[in-house]
Amino acid sequence: MFARVTQYKMKPGSMEATTAIMNSLKSQIMGMPGMHNFINVANEDGSGYVISVVESEVTSKANAAKVAELWGAFSDYMEAAPKAVGFDVVANWSN
């Protein structure tokens, strides 16, 4: 498995709007090939991370165009372009 970790920063006061956008895109996000987990964490100041766990690095790269399209839905609310890095998954636990 492979994890794409994306750091982002939204404009102040945009959390409600961006959460609504994210929720409206859930089926597209979770419907991407190889998607296992999607986690979005954020602070009140609009800074946050998206962690998506997918089948492989190859799958992650193949999804890149769709991921960019989805981030585009947030462009009016972002302070800067999101920055993604990738990692091999060492553990992926849940209860």
Side-chain angles (χ1 to χ4, degrees):
M1 286 193 292
F2 186 78
R4 185 178 51 253
V5 180
T6 306
Q7 183 178 18
Y8 66 86
K9 178 79 175 176
M10 297 294 174
K11 294 176 182 174
S14 64
M15 187 65 73
E16 186 176 332
T18 56
T19 300
I21 293 169
M22 179 191 64
N23 287 332
S24 75
L25 297 173
K26 180 180 179 180
S27 64
Q28 291 182 61
I29 293 167
M30 297 308 295
M32 283 189 287
M35 180 67 78
H36 287 271
N37 302 84
F38 176 85
I39 302 168
N40 186 346
V41 295
N43 289 324
E44 289 181 14
D45 69 355
S47 63
Y49 289 88
V50 168
I51 303 136
S52 54
V53 177
V54 296
E55 191 61 38
S56 67
E57 184 174 3
V58 170
T59 302
S60 181
K61 288 180 179 180
N63 289 338
K66 181 64 175 180
V67 170
E69 175 189 326
L70 292 168
W71 275 111
F74 300 91
S75 62
D76 290 344
Y77 300 99
M78 300 187 78
E79 287 192 359
K83 298 176 185 169
V85 294
F87 302 92
D88 289 326
V89 175
V90 177
N92 182 18
W93 300 339
S94 62
N95 283 331

